[in-house]
Amino acid sequence: MTARLKDPTTRATITVAGDHSVRIERIFNAPRAQVWKAFTDPALVAQWWGRGHTLDIERMEVRRGGHWRFVEHTPGGREGFEGRYREVTPPERLVSTFEWDGMPGYVAVNDATFVDLGDGRTRVVTVCLFHTTAERDGMLKSGMEGGLNESYAALDRVLAAATAP
Amino acid sequence: MTARLKDPTTRATITVAGDHSVRIERIFNAPRAQVWKAFTDPALVAQWWGRGHTLDIERMEVRRGGHWRFVEHTPGGREGFEGRYREVTPPERLVSTFEWDGMPGYVAVNDATFVDLGDGRTRVVTVCLFHTTAERDGMLKSGMEGGLNESYAALDRVLAAATAP
């Protein structure tokens, strides 16, 4: 608890939110406009989304109905991910679908809310909705939490660079 | 009831199958191999999928992970639909996602099973899984049943032409 109070940004909190959803919370040390930009500007997303790995942004049309497709270069090969934007409401809400090439046709919805904490920090709350409980549990067991924390740590570095004097 | 016994192929049976799914059943007067072909051959799909309207098959990669995208020419304009194949197991199972351009980011899964009835007819059972109950109910109220029956009637004609001597 002390560690989290001293540095509340170092890990995401993942909780089960319903039969087939999870809720992810993470605080970032940057104003909301900058965090929003880091989620929606392809040049910035490329620097953190793939856990620090090289990321090809093949498609990223940040508007309702637009598609996205990223390819992450991992030590084991290339991993493709894609989806479509359901809602883009700057700087507060970004809703999109998520599908990994390794499990085609299994589509989750990521509903992200950006909360201005009023002290220069931003809380990002993402509700991930799956079609079934089994899909949710499969994602939780897949190492999602580790990968997410690696990506968010990379995002911390992107935001620190952006806010550096 | 009598009408259904006399001609059991003229309409689909749609029932609620769970909190966020529906089950659709329809019998076709054609052998399973021909029904399977009508669902997976782009030249045939173009003739029935769009309720008898002109249908552009922009993409149709019938294999696990492949994408599909159709554009239907309706009296009111063009309507785009797309998705991806999760499972392709000829001639018995076809699982794919479904998304209408008008509601981007709302993705249903259509899990279709083709049952050989042993008398030259085929029952197609499709379970449609939505992310939420509201999405399912919205689809039911959207006129899905009418559109589906129009498409299946067009499919009857395609199958009759294929089996004609």
Side-chain angles (χ1 to χ4, degrees):
Chain A
M1 196 63 186
T2 308
R4 293 188 63 199
L5 286 173
K6 280 168 66 182
D7 187 356
T9 68
T10 50
R11 65 170 203 176
T13 304
I14 303 181
T15 50
V16 166
D19 280 352
H20 50 116
S21 59
V22 296
R23 178 186 175 94
I24 301 167
E25 291 201 26
R26 175 63 144 80
I27 293 173
F28 295 95
N29 280 322
R32 183 163 69 163
Q34 286 184 0
V35 177
W36 175 265
K37 189 178 178 198
F39 274 79
T40 54
D41 179 334
L44 296 179
V45 169
Q47 295 175 45
W48 68 268
W49 195 92
R51 299 178 285 164
H53 296 139
T54 296
L55 187 75
D56 298 331
I57 308 275
E58 294 191 348
R59 197 172 182 185
M60 189 173 166
E61 306 149 352
V62 188
R63 55 177 167 72
R64 179 173 179 272
H67 294 77
W68 66 269
R69 180 171 171 82
F70 306 158
V71 177
E72 179 184 349
H73 298 232
T74 73
R78 299 190 181 195
E79 299 287 352
F81 304 87
E82 63 184 45
R84 200 167 182 188
Y85 295 98
R86 180 192 290 190
E87 179 181 334
V88 179
T89 307
E92 48 194 64
R93 196 155 176 228
L94 186 66
V95 187
S96 57
T97 58
F98 173 96
E99 190 175 356
W100 169 49
D101 281 356
M103 283 183 66
Y106 291 86
V107 181
V109 179
N110 290 329
D111 185 333
T113 305
F114 299 75
V115 184
D116 181 350
L117 295 181
D119 59 1
R121 298 183 307 155
T122 304
R123 176 186 291 120
V124 179
V125 180
T126 307
V127 176
C128 306
L129 180 61
F130 302 87
H131 273 115
T132 65
T133 305
E135 285 171 51
R136 179 196 66 191
D137 293 345
M139 178 68 94
L140 288 173
K141 287 174 191 158
S142 73
M144 167 203 191
E145 185 169 359
L148 183 70
N149 281 317
E150 286 171 35
S151 291
Y152 279 172
L155 175 52
D156 283 335
R157 295 190 290 274
V158 169
L159 293 167
T163 54
Chain B
M1 196 63 186
T2 308
R4 293 188 63 199
L5 286 173
K6 280 168 65 181
D7 188 355
T9 68
T10 52
R11 65 170 202 176
T13 305
I14 302 181
T15 50
V16 165
D19 281 350
H20 49 116
S21 59
V22 295
R23 178 185 174 94
I24 301 167
E25 290 202 27
R26 174 65 144 81
I27 294 173
F28 296 95
N29 280 322
R32 183 163 68 164
Q34 286 183 359
V35 178
W36 174 266
K37 189 178 178 199
F39 273 78
T40 54
D41 180 333
L44 296 179
V45 169
Q47 295 175 45
W48 68 267
W49 195 93
R51 299 178 285 164
H53 295 138
T54 297
L55 187 75
D56 298 331
I57 307 275
E58 293 191 348
R59 197 172 181 185
M60 189 173 166
E61 305 150 353
V62 187
R63 54 175 168 73
R64 179 173 181 271
H67 294 78
W68 65 270
R69 180 171 172 80
F70 305 159
V71 177
E72 180 184 349
H73 297 232
T74 74
R78 299 189 181 196
E79 300 286 352
F81 303 87
E82 62 183 47
R84 201 168 182 188
Y85 296 98
R86 181 193 287 191
E87 179 180 335
V88 179
T89 306
E92 45 191 68
R93 194 154 177 230
L94 187 66
V95 187
S96 57
T97 59
F98 172 95
E99 189 174 357
W100 169 48
D101 282 356
M103 283 184 64
Y106 291 87
V107 181
V109 179
N110 290 330
D111 186 334
T113 304
F114 300 75
V115 183
D116 181 350
L117 295 181
D119 59 1
R121 299 184 305 155
T122 304
R123 177 185 289 121
V124 179
V125 180
T126 307
V127 176
C128 306
L129 179 62
F130 302 87
H131 273 115
T132 66
T133 305
E135 284 169 52
R136 180 196 67 190
D137 293 346
M139 178 68 94
L140 288 172
K141 287 173 191 158
S142 74
M144 166 204 191
E145 187 169 358
L148 184 69
N149 281 317
E150 286 170 37
S151 290
Y152 280 171
L155 175 52
D156 282 336
R157 295 190 291 274
V158 169
L159 293 167
T163 55

